[in-house]
Structure formats: structure tokens, C-alpha cells
Amino acid sequence: VPTSMYGGRARPPFPLDSEVIAGLVRTSGATFEGGWMGLSSAYLNPTDSFLGAAEAFSSQRDNKLTFLTAGGSSHGFAPKGDQKKDGEGRAWIPAAYQYISEVLSLSPALNCSVLHYERPKWTFHAKGMWFCDGPSPPSPETLTTVVVGSGNYGSRSENLDMESNCVLQFGSVEGGAAGDASAAVKRTLFDDWKGLREYAQEIKVRPEGESLARRTLFNAVSYFL
């Protein structure tokens, strides 16, 4: 299922990504039993509509939710190498996203894990979603749906940028060439998540005083992140 999103006023003649994704999250939450959803975003700043769907997912049937995003050193706006001097003026951007991660990790309604990708000399820019139906641990065998595409599931993707995602849903194909091909695709896509997870750790929430300063900054610029 291809979807698109752009920040215009008129509704385009194709499915809006934000609506399709929110519907997918809510439907999965209502039908999974001990399921899991993993979301990877280079710039994690979920919209209110997406957060509502994510809260509905994690509140039902013992479902689990994991967000994976860029840590400070691997962030797209972190100063790199010879550019460190020129990039010092952008240091507030990774700090703002760090604050968002903390807010998400502390939300009792989400009850989620937030992981930061940190890998020396690498920049994190992976976007995608993985859905597994439990109660077994997430695996290629339990993988039901994958979202591949350009969107970050945030305010900028929904309101300002042009985006295009593709939703891949796997049926119950077993045996034969079709079953083997489906299993191979699921293994490859799930390995993508495992590869990202290998360099990610659960975030550490910073002291409240420092969070307050970043909250003030974030509230002023969140629409553009």
C-alpha cells in the first residue's frame, strides 16, 4: 500500500500517510495479543494524532512499544569532524530531540522503551516501522507488517515536507516457493531492525533542571522539527 504526505492545504487524490499509519497502529493494537511495534525515526517528534494511536496500541492486550532514534553523536544535526566549529550553532537541535525522547520514555500512557543509536563516525537516518503479533518475542516468524519510506512520523513530515511510505503486509503463506520467498523477505526486513538495535541503548533521563531549560526551547521550535 503506497502512501504520501505533503504540507499543502488541499487534500491530494491518494491515501494520506498520517491517516493510514494511525489506522494501522490502532487496528494492530486491537487485534494483536501480546504484540510489539518498533518505530525507527531519525528525528523523533510524534504528532498528537500518532501519539493517540500509539497510546491505544500499548494500552491493549499487553502490547509493547519501542521507539529507536538518533543519539547525540549520531544525530543528523550533530557537528561532525572538520565541521564541528561551523556546526556548533546547531548543537541545540540534538538537545531538543533528547528532551522529546525523555518525555516519551516517561509517559505512563505510552509505556514504551526509547532507544538511542550511537555509533562512532555514523549518522543515524533510518525510518521504518515493524509490527509483530505475540505472545512470542519479536521475530521474523511473528512479523506481520513493515512500513518502509521517507517519513519520520513527526510534525515536519506531516505539515511541511513531501513524504512517501510503503506499507508491506504479510499474509499466511506457508510452504512452496511463495512461502519461502515470503519468509526470506520477512527475515531480511527484521534483520534491518536487529542491525539498528545492535548499536542502540535505552536513554538516560537527565535532571529536571536541565530538562526545564530544554523544554522552554523545545516549545518554541517544535513545529519545525
Side-chain angles (χ1 to χ4, degrees):
V1 180
T3 68
S4 294
M5 178 63 67
Y6 84 117
R9 293 182 179 274
R11 186 181 179 91
F14 40 71
L16 289 180
D17 178 73
S18 58
E19 296 175 357
V20 173
I21 297 300
L24 173 63
V25 174
R26 289 182 181 276
T27 301
S28 298
T31 56
F32 285 2
E33 191 70 47
W36 169 84
M37 180 181 79
L39 181 147
S40 175
S41 172
Y43 307 110
L44 184 63
N45 180 23
T47 60
D48 289 342
S49 59
F50 181 87
L51 284 176
E55 289 171 1
F57 177 91
S58 62
S59 67
Q60 300 181 77
R61 302 171 178 266
D62 198 31
N63 293 324
K64 306 297 182 184
L65 177 61
T66 304
F67 291 126
L68 197 157
T69 189
S73 65
S74 293
H75 198 278
F77 285 95
K80 303 289 195 303
D82 296 337
Q83 300 177 344
K84 283 188 176 181
K85 185 175 181 180
D86 295 333
E88 288 176 353
R90 303 185 304 178
W92 63 269
I93 301 179
Y97 281 104
Q98 166 74 24
Y99 170 69
I100 298 171
S101 294
E102 293 177 10
V103 171
L104 296 174
S105 70
L106 294 173
S107 169
L110 280 173
N111 190 28
C112 66
S113 298
V114 181
L115 311 177
H116 272 185
Y117 182 99
E118 300 272 9
R119 189 174 182 183
K121 299 182 179 180
W122 283 66
T123 297
F124 183 87
H125 212 256
K127 300 98 173 274
M129 299 177 72
W130 292 257
F131 294 81
C132 292
D133 194 1
S136 303
S139 69
E141 291 72 30
T142 61
L143 189 66
T144 65
T145 308
V146 174
V147 180
V148 181
S150 67
N152 277 295
Y153 316 105
S155 178
R156 186 178 180 92
S157 290
E158 184 168 323
N159 299 310
L160 297 174
D161 292 343
M162 172 81 72
E163 306 287 3
S164 181
N165 289 335
C166 184
V167 181
L168 305 175
Q169 291 190 295
F170 300 98
S172 56
V173 181
E174 297 182 3
D180 292 344
S182 177
V185 172
K186 291 167 71 173
R187 282 195 302 271
T188 299
L189 292 171
F190 193 79
D191 283 348
D192 286 341
W193 172 265
K194 289 175 60 179
L196 299 174
R197 181 65 181 83
E198 182 179 356
Y199 294 93
Q201 299 292 330
E202 194 151 2
I203 69 163
K204 297 179 180 179
V205 178
R206 301 185 185 185
E208 177 59 25
E210 187 175 350
S211 292
L212 177 61
R214 284 176 301 154
R215 184 187 314 137
T216 303
L217 172 63
F218 167 70
N219 289 338
V221 301
S222 60
Y223 180 82
F224 301 98
L225 292 175

